[in-house]
C-alpha cells in the first residue's frame, strides 16, 4: 500500500499549482491531480495580471501578497518565469483613488497619482482620456505556462507528486467521522486527510454532483477582446477601470491591446474555451473608446474567451465550508482574478492546514 498523502490538490491551474508549491515547501506531502496538461484550462486563457490596488482593504492586502510572491518568483527563477513590468493603471473616482493610494503605502507598494499630462507622457502611443489615474509602476503581468511549470517543478523538488491525465471522480468520505480520507480517481484510490478542490470552472459542477450544493459558486463567460491598430503598440499598461467596468493589458505577441468588458452570461461547467463573439467585441469597443480613443479605429484581432468560477465573496471561497465534510477545502470562485490572488489563497490554506 502506498503511503498516504497529507494533502491532495484537485486542479493544476494557478490556484492548485501555487497551493502545491507553498504546501510542499511547508513540509506537507502533497499530490496534485488534473485531467489535462498544465495550462490547458482557465489559467492558460488568463491575462495573468499582477496588480494590487482594489476597492477594498481586504482585497488590496490579499493582492499585495501575490505581488510580492510573484516578484520574488521571477527573481528566484533567474529568467525562467519572466515578469513583464508594464505598469498598472486604476481608474476610479478621485476619492477612491486617494484611499487606494493610502492602502498601497501600507502594503509597501510603490504608487502615484498621474494627471492627464503625466499619462500622455508615460504612454504616448496610447491616448488615455482621464483626468487622473492611480499608477503602480512595478506591476504588470506573468506568462501562464512558464509560471505553472516552475511552481510544479519546485514542488516536485520538495517531494510533491504530480499526475496529469487523471480524472477525480469523487472525494472519499469516512461515514462515521464525516471526514475526507482521500479521492477516487480514474487511476485508483489515493489517501489523504485533506483535499483541496481547486478546479476552476469545474468546481461548482463537482461540488453539486457529490455534495448536492454549489456553495454559492457559478460559472460566467469571459471575453477579453484583442484590438490591433494600424501600427503595433510598443507597450501599454495593465489596467482596471471601475467607472466603465473595463480591464485589460498589452499583448506583446501582436502589439495589440486586450480589453475586457463583462458579459454577464452564466454558463454551464462544460463551456470552457469559446469562439470570439463579434457582438460583444463591438460592445467592448463602444464602452472602451471613451477611456481609450485609440479603440475607435482599431480592428478586432482575437480574444481570450473562456468561462471562470464566480462567487459572491469579496475575494473567493477559501477553506472548509459549512455543509462540507471535514478536511475538504475549497479554493475557487475568484471571478477572473485568481492569478493575482493565488499566493494569498495558498498561504491561507497552508496556515489552516499546518496550524489546524
Amino acid at each position: 500500500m502506498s503511503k498516504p498523502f497529507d494533502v491532495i490538490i484537485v486542479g493544476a491551474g494557478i490556484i492548485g499549482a501555487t497551493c502545491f508549491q507553498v504546501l510542499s515547501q511547508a513540509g506537507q506531502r502533497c499530490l496534485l491531480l488534473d485531467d489535462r496538461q498544465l495550462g490547458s484550462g482557465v489559467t492558460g486563457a488568463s491575462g495573468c495580471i499582477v496588480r494590487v490596488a482594489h476597492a477594498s482593504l481586504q482585497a488590496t492586502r490579499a493582492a499585495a501578497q501575490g505581488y510580492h510572491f510573484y516578484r520574488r518568483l521571477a527573481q528566484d527563477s533567474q529568467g525562467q518565469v519572466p515578469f513583464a513590468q508594464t505598469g498598472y493603471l486604476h481608474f476610479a473616482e478621485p476619492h477612491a483613488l486617494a484611499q487606494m493610494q493610502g492602502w498601497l503605502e501600507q502594503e509597501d507598494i510603490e504608487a502615484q497619482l498621474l494627471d492627464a499630462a503625466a499619462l500622455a507622457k508615460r504612454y504616448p502611443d496610447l491616448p488615455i482620456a482621464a483626468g487622473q489615474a492611480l499608477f503602480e509602476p512595478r506591476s504588470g503581468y506573468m506568462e501562464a505556462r512558464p509560471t505553472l511549470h516552475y511552481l510544479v517543478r519546485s514542488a516536485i523538488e520538495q517531494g510533491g507528486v504530480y499526475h496529469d491525465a487523471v480524472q477525480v471522480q469523487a472525494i472519499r468520505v469516512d461515514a462515521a467521522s464525516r471526514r475526507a480520507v482521500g479521492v477516487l480517481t480514474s487511476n485508483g484510490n489515493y489517501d489523504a486527510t485533506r483535499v483541496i478542490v481547486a478546479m476552476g470552472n469545474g468546481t461548482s459542477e463537482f461540488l453539486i454532483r457529490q455534495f448536492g450544493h454549489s456553495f454559492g459558486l457559478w460559472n460566467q463567460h469571459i471575453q477579453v477582446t484583442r484590438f490591433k491598430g494600424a501600427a503595433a503598440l510598443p507597450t501599454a499598461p495593465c489596467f482596471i477601470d471601475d467607472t466603465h467596468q473595463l480591464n485589460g493589458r498589452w499583448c506583446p505577441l501582436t502589439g495589440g491591446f486586450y480589453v475586457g468588458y463583462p458579459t454577464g452570461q452564466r454558463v454551464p461547467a462544460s463551456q470552457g474555451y469559446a469562439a470570439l463573439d463579434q457582438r460583444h467585441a463591438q460592445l467592448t469597443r463602444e464602452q472602451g473608446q471613451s477611456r481609450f480613443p485609440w479603440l475607435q479605429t482599431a480592428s478586432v484581432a482575437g480574444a481570450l474567451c473562456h468561462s471562470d468560477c464566480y462567487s459572491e465573496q469579496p475575494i473567493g471561497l477559501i477553506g472548509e465550508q459549512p455543509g462540507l465534510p471535514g478536511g475538504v477545502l475549497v479554493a475557487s470562485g475568484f471571478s477572473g482574478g485568481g492569478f493575482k490572488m493565488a499566493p494569498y489563497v495558498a498561504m491561507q490554506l497552508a496556515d489552516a492546514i499546518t496550524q489546524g
Side-chain angles (χ1 to χ4, degrees), residues 94-142:
H95 71 277
L97 295 178
Q99 185 176 55
M100 290 180 207
Q101 185 181 29
W103 292 339
L104 293 179
E105 290 176 357
Q106 294 177 27
E107 300 301 322
D108 195 28
I109 304 297
E110 182 181 352
Q112 59 196 92
L113 291 170
L114 301 183
D115 61 16
L119 288 169
K121 182 178 181 180
R122 186 166 291 275
Y123 297 106
D125 299 293
L126 183 69
I128 299 172
Q132 191 178 64
L134 182 61
F135 181 59
E136 297 174 20
R138 290 172 57 80
S139 291
Y141 66 91
M142 309 284 280

Side-chain angles (χ1 to χ4, degrees), residues 43-66:
T43 300
S46 168
C48 305
I49 294 175
V50 179
R51 50 97 174 190
V52 183
H54 280 73
S56 78
L57 178 57
Q58 180 188 10
T60 299
R61 286 175 171 168
Q65 287 193 21

Side-chain angles (χ1 to χ4, degrees), residues 212-242:
H213 199 285
S214 68
F215 298 89
L217 301 176
W218 73 90
N219 282 355
Q220 187 162 305
H221 181 62
I222 297 173
Q223 176 169 305
V224 182
T225 304
R226 184 172 66 240
F227 295 91
K228 185 73 181 296
L233 288 172
T235 188
C238 300
F239 75 94
I240 293 287
D241 187 335
D242 292 343

Side-chain angles (χ1 to χ4, degrees), residues 54 56-63 309 311-318 332-335 337-338 341 344-345:
H54 280 73
S56 78
L57 178 57
Q58 180 188 10
T60 299
R61 286 175 171 168
C309 189
S311 76
E312 296 177 353
Q313 302 300 319
I315 295 177
L317 213 59
I318 306 171
S332 195
F334 303 105
S335 308
M341 291 298 180
Y344 167 78
V345 175

Side-chain angles (χ1 to χ4, degrees), residues 29 35 59 74 86 208 233 235 242 261 264 282 287 328:
R29 185 168 186 262
D35 60 354
T86 60
I208 290 171
L233 288 172
T235 188
D242 292 343
Y261 181 67
Q282 181 58 28
Q287 191 73 5
V328 177

